[in-house]
Amino acid sequence: MPPSLVTLMAVMMIILNLVVGIALLVAGIRHAAPRLNHVGTSVYLSLLVVFLAIAFVFPGLIGDNGSYTSGQAALIAALTTVLYSCFLFRQMGGQRHDFQQPHDPQDAPRPSPGPEPKLSQLLTKYRRELTGRTVLLLALVVPIVLLSHGLADVLDATLSRLGAPVALVGILIAAIVFLPETVTALRAAYRNELQRVSNLCHGAAVSTVGLIIPAVLVIGLMTDQPVLLAESPTNLALLAITMVLTASTAFTPRVTALHGAAHVALFVLYMVTVFV
């Protein structure tokens, strides 16, 4: 499997189990009744199920030796891009309230909201801020991505001499790249803002798969090279358990520290499989 896809599996395990698990532990220990917005979290879960199936399951079922054929790759890349674009449009438009922290009944009642502004109005109102934040994001992300490629070569050579598994490189790179979001998610959990944790972690997982898979497939089509996507049965089992555990956490009336402990334990199991 290409290193980028090894890293993709590592990213899913780090985000959905390690970071989410620690955040739930922090929120569950510090606060009495942490709450999630069930609608927004279920949207993330629905998209993750589809994207992960497209990325890791169906290539082994309908593809050729774990890779999509050229026709399948073009269709899958287009389908993934359209679905992810629809998600962004709805998240920033008519469904944006589904991704906000739910109101606690014990708090003071919120003032009655006025008429909903349209997406075009919001873009016009916050155009300068969006432009500035986009430029800042690119200025910060691009060096991290470029450095990660160089760091991957160094880590690969070092770990190869030590006899460490290849997947460990992807895990370390994924952990470094996601470190800023990890810090932000843990701070949000400390303030009992679990929906922000979900937006950071589950949203990042959706974006990662929704963008990497079509990009990799298109590059494979342009270079006329097959892209091996199908995962091992062990990793598929880990992904399936992760989705079940995420659903259990998302739809419970009250999130507890034990939910977080279960996520962290599953990440530990993933690390065990890496060294087997």
Side-chain angles (χ1 to χ4, degrees):
M1 180 172 290
S4 60
L5 298 179
V6 173
T7 306
L8 179 59
M9 178 64 191
V11 167
M12 293 299 104
M13 291 294 103
I14 290 174
I15 294 176
L16 299 177
N17 288 315
L18 181 61
V19 179
V20 169
I22 295 176
L24 295 180
L25 276 171
V26 171
I29 292 173
R30 180 170 172 78
H31 303 283
R35 299 172 68 236
L36 282 164
N37 190 320
H38 298 306
V39 177
T41 308
S42 68
V43 170
Y44 289 132
L45 181 59
S46 299
L47 291 171
L48 279 173
V49 169
V50 175
F51 283 155
L52 292 176
I54 288 174
F56 297 130
V57 178
F58 283 100
L61 297 176
I62 64 174
D64 183 13
N65 294 324
S67 301
Y68 286 120
T69 63
S70 297
Q72 291 172 343
L75 177 61
I76 292 298
L79 176 64
T80 306
T81 302
V82 169
L83 181 56
Y84 182 69
S85 300
C86 291
F87 159 71
L88 287 181
F89 180 78
R90 293 296 300 171
Q91 185 187 39
M92 294 188 299
Q95 284 189 244
R96 64 181 175 277
H97 291 299
D98 293 335
F99 301 91
Q100 296 177 356
Q101 184 68 31
H103 178 62
D104 192 334
Q106 297 179 352
D107 295 340
R110 293 178 177 176
S112 179
E116 290 288 337
K118 295 181 180 180
L119 179 59
S120 58
Q121 294 174 330
L122 292 173
L123 292 176
T124 302
K125 182 178 180 180
Y126 298 104
R127 179 179 300 172
R128 181 176 298 180
E129 182 179 356
L130 287 172
T131 302
R133 290 180 180 271
T134 301
V135 172
L136 180 62
L137 177 64
L138 293 175
L140 295 175
V141 169
V142 171
I144 292 176
V145 173
L146 294 177
L147 288 173
S148 68
H149 286 287
L151 182 61
D153 296 334
V154 175
L155 287 174
D156 193 20
T158 303
L159 294 177
S160 296
R161 294 176 182 176
L162 297 175
V166 177
L168 188 58
V169 177
I171 295 171
L172 293 176
I173 294 298
I176 293 172
V177 172
F178 199 68
L179 183 59
E181 288 86 351
T182 300
V183 174
T184 305
L186 295 182
R187 291 177 62 185
Y190 186 82
R191 296 193 297 265
N192 199 21
E193 299 174 351
L194 273 195
Q195 188 54 41
R196 190 177 183 191
V197 174
S198 177
N199 292 338
L200 285 166
C201 296
H202 298 139
V206 169
S207 300
T208 300
V209 187
L211 294 174
I212 286 182
I213 293 304
V216 169
L217 291 176
V218 169
I219 292 173
L221 290 172
M222 294 175 62
T223 58
D224 196 25
Q225 294 182 350
V227 179
L228 180 61
L229 290 172
E231 267 291 357
S232 66
T234 300
N235 283 343
L236 290 178
L238 284 168
L239 287 171
I241 297 170
T242 298
M243 290 296 97
V244 173
L245 185 57
T246 302
S248 174
T249 303
F251 299 115
T252 183
R254 183 171 64 90
V255 181
T256 69
L258 289 177
H259 290 94
H263 280 278
V264 174
L266 187 55
F267 179 79
V268 173
L269 289 176
Y270 166 66
M271 291 300 299
V272 170
T273 66
V274 169
F275 287 92
V276 172

